[in-house]
Amino acid sequence: MSIGIASGLLLAPFRYFKVKLVGSLIYGAAEFFRNSPVLVQLFLVYFGVPMFFQLELSPFFAAILTLSMNTAAFSLIIFVSAMEAIDREQILAAESFGLRRRQILQKIIGPQAMIIAIPMLVGIAINQLQVTSLISVIGFIDITKVGEILNQRTLKPFIVWPLIGLTYFALAQLISYLGAWLGKRLSHHLQYRSVVETA
Amino acid sequence: MIKVSNLTKRFGDNVILNNINLTVEQGEIVSILGASGSGKSTFLKCINGLENFEDGKISVDGLSVSKKDELRQIRTFCSTVFQRFNLYPHLTVLENITLAPIEVLKEPINSARDHALLLLERVGLTEFSGRFPATLSGGQQQRVGICRALAMRPRYLLLDEVTSSLDPEMTGEVLDVLADLASGETAMLLVTHEIGFARKISSRIAFIHQGILVVDLPTKQFFSAAGGLSDGRVAAFLSKMELR
Ligand SMILES: Nc1ncnc2c1ncn2[C@@H]1O[C@H](COP(=O)(O)OP(=O)(O)OP(=O)(O)O)[C@@H](O)[C@H]1O
Ligand SMILES: [Mg+2]
């Protein structure tokens, strides 16, 4: 179930890059996903898509789809602002040497924007983790739903709920840890440490 | 040859460059002087397409700056050194220098690296190749900036006040590197406030006043009473610069 968010998060950057070219249309969609409640989006996807496109959606797929798009929308904004935070003059320099836009994105903007974006992405990921508890309403089993079931079976709420809480906590910690690790790997140059022969 | 004819550039309603004509022959060194805000940086930016313009024509070795694929070619042999270095902060000195040769010229990594190390040696920075820009002094960063430009083996070098964000000490070290270069085959078009330096290395000096190129003379004549100094605007500018 948390695979859902993980893949949502992983999809987001890819989506973002493809997405940016399509421009304002995507921005419109992103605004919708950012500004409406996830629950509403979930219902719209789960009940709306089958109605308009005549295809049956499993709760699992509907949940993944909604959360992925939702995450992508937030990530999009993060990436755009991270990219805008990068000093324009070095991009001008790269342009002056004849680098193509794709090369500049890949070699200059991307690596630096990532460093800025990671802490914010971690925030989003942890938030989305909690949002997953909503998907039980369309009948899909997530961590919270597991908690309910366990609770009904065992009738020991004081053991079950702290455990469920701990599970969320552990997952959130894992995400933070991964974020910090990645951020550190990418930001050697910010640590004022000399590295020997790279190229 | 860099050939600028009837260049006019506006920002909104302001005419920043007004009908400018200038040529720089292969191997020539031309300095551009002028007060702050007179349009010098904008002029250099127009030459390698970092700024577009309303009127006129700019060509470099017969290629037009206004045509996209010709501009791309121009950029492979016409390099810029920037006032504020504009190095890539997340890349090492070596990577800063080799990026464009590898990505744009498709030079093999090993040869790009060897060339970079050669250039670094020339500016006295061999042992800094693995460092990040933020760990270098301004003068060192600018010398890296010069190496980055030279790594493209440019026929033309555009230099925009490359020492004006440096302390006097560091200015000296950067000017020495440029003077050394001046004996080579690379043509240079430099904007500078270092009058003495311009006088020493340039074959010609052009003076821009409020977007108009008012004087363009061989260096000796530029500084003679009958030549450049007979223009009141040049005389006023030079005496003001000397006072600083
Ligand atoms: N992006 C811009 N938008 C509007 N006006 C601009 C822009 N860039 C420059 N200008 C204006 O164009 C004029 C020329 O600027 P430019 O930077 O070319 O001057 P300069 O001669 O290089 O001055 P300095 O010696 O201070 O570097 C200035 O009046 C400046 O305000
Ligand atoms: Mg300037």
Side-chain angles (χ1 to χ4, degrees):
Chain A
M1 36 220 96
S2 55
I3 295 167
I5 339 147
S7 62
L9 183 69
L10 278 177
L11 272 176
F14 296 107
R15 240 162 232 253
Y16 160 73
F17 280 116
K18 265 188 231 143
V19 143
K20 232 216 132 184
L21 304 173
V22 195
S24 45
L25 194 75
I26 294 302
Y27 249 91
E31 283 304 301
F32 166 74
F33 278 105
R34 270 162 24 92
N35 296 327
S36 61
V38 180
L39 198 54
V40 173
Q41 296 167 16
L42 204 55
F43 282 140
L44 274 175
V45 170
Y46 186 51
F47 298 112
V49 169
M51 225 159 85
F52 285 105
F53 299 100
Q54 317 290 336
L55 35 88
E56 204 56 38
L57 277 187
S58 69
F60 175 76
F61 193 71
I64 299 252
L65 193 65
T66 312
L67 285 178
S68 302
M69 296 213 283
N70 188 270
T71 311
F74 279 100
S75 314
L76 174 81
I77 307 300
I78 287 176
F79 278 120
V80 171
S81 64
M83 288 166 73
E84 278 166 356
I86 290 162
D87 177 30
R88 287 267 329 141
E89 298 218 319
Q90 38 166 318
I91 297 168
L92 218 61
E95 245 175 73
S96 83
F97 289 110
L99 271 86
R100 287 163 189 275
R101 196 175 286 180
R102 179 185 53 75
Q103 293 170 322
I104 295 176
L105 208 61
Q106 205 178 330
K107 302 281 174 177
I108 311 286
I109 303 179
Q112 295 181 73
M114 267 303 173
I115 297 168
I116 303 172
I118 282 172
M120 293 189 278
L121 285 178
V122 165
I124 293 287
I126 291 172
N127 191 51
Q128 294 298 68
L129 182 67
Q130 277 142 35
V131 167
T132 54
S133 62
L134 289 177
I135 60 186
S136 55
V137 297
I138 56 171
F140 180 63
I141 299 179
D142 77 313
I143 302 174
T144 305
K145 190 81 180 175
V146 169
E148 264 173 46
I149 295 168
L150 281 181
N151 191 27
Q152 282 160 10
R153 292 216 184 128
T154 59
L155 298 174
K156 290 198 176 100
F158 292 109
I159 294 173
V160 169
W161 291 118
L163 263 178
I164 295 299
L166 269 177
T167 309
Y168 278 113
F169 178 75
L171 283 172
Q173 283 295 307
L174 185 70
I175 293 170
S176 299
Y177 176 79
L178 284 175
W181 175 79
L182 201 62
K184 208 165 160 193
R185 277 205 49 165
L186 288 171
S187 56
H188 280 305
H189 66 287
L190 297 177
Q191 294 162 26
Y192 288 68
R193 184 153 42 82
S194 72
V195 190
V196 214
E197 295 315 60
T198 20
Chain B
M1 186 172 73
I2 298 176
K3 189 165 163 49
V4 178
S5 18
N6 306 105
L7 171 67
T8 295
K9 161 81 190 166
R10 296 188 193 86
F11 277 122
D13 289 338
N14 296 338
V15 180
I16 305 297
L17 297 171
N18 195 344
N19 199 32
I20 291 197
N21 292 284
L22 184 84
T23 57
V24 179
E25 303 282 345
Q26 190 120 39
E28 202 178 15
I29 297 178
V30 178
S31 290
I32 300 176
L33 306 181
S36 182
S38 56
K40 307 179 299 294
S41 297
T42 308
F43 179 62
L44 285 193
K45 283 185 184 160
C46 287
I47 292 177
N48 64 359
L50 293 180
E51 199 73 81
N52 47 19
F53 47 89
E54 281 69 37
D55 250 313
K57 267 175 67 177
I58 299 178
S59 68
V60 184
D61 287 355
L63 299 164
S64 165
V65 171
S66 312
K67 293 188 186 129
K68 213 174 157 199
D69 30 328
E70 294 186 16
L71 174 61
R72 180 155 282 137
Q73 276 189 63
I74 291 173
R75 285 174 169 173
T76 62
F77 61 79
C78 180
S79 302
T80 307
V81 181
F82 297 86
Q83 179 173 354
R84 292 201 279 124
F85 330 134
N86 302 3
L87 298 176
Y88 318 122
H90 62 303
L91 300 179
T92 64
V93 165
L94 198 62
E95 290 165 338
N96 262 277
I97 300 173
T98 55
L99 180 69
I102 292 171
E103 295 290 326
V104 180
L105 303 179
K106 308 293 176 204
E107 196 177 335
I109 293 176
N110 281 334
S111 104
R113 184 211 265 136
D114 290 347
H115 187 213
L117 289 172
L118 208 71
L119 292 168
L120 282 171
E121 192 185 330
R122 223 159 115 192
V123 302
L125 291 176
T126 307
E127 68 270 38
F128 294 90
S129 64
R131 297 262 290 256
F132 289 107
T135 67
L136 303 181
S137 75
Q140 291 168 336
Q141 289 190 49
Q142 192 57 294
R143 283 185 277 159
V144 173
I146 292 170
C147 290
R148 178 176 66 172
L150 292 177
M152 301 293 279
R153 296 184 170 84
R155 275 175 259 166
Y156 302 93
L157 208 50
L158 308 178
L159 305 118
D160 188 2
E161 299 194 41
V162 296
T163 58
S164 68
S165 47
L166 299 176
D167 297 338
E169 265 172 85
M170 300 179 187
T171 300
E173 74 191 28
V174 169
L175 292 184
D176 284 347
V177 168
L178 291 182
D180 187 39
L181 273 176
S183 46
E185 282 158 16
T186 311
M188 294 194 217
L189 182 54
L190 55 138
V191 168
T192 182
H193 285 147
E194 301 283 335
I195 311 283
F197 180 71
R199 189 170 187 165
K200 193 175 84 185
I201 75 159
S202 323
S203 47
R204 253 172 53 224
I205 296 191
F207 181 80
I208 297 188
H209 179 76
Q210 295 177 357
I212 301 173
L213 196 135
V214 292
V215 176
D216 175 7
L217 287 171
T219 307
K220 222 170 180 175
Q221 273 167 272
F222 184 87
F223 288 103
S224 74
L229 297 181
S230 67
D231 188 303
R233 295 163 291 193
V234 174
F237 173 77
L238 289 179
S239 66
K240 207 170 103 197
M241 293 304 289
E242 267 160 34
L243 283 179
R244 286 202 321 173

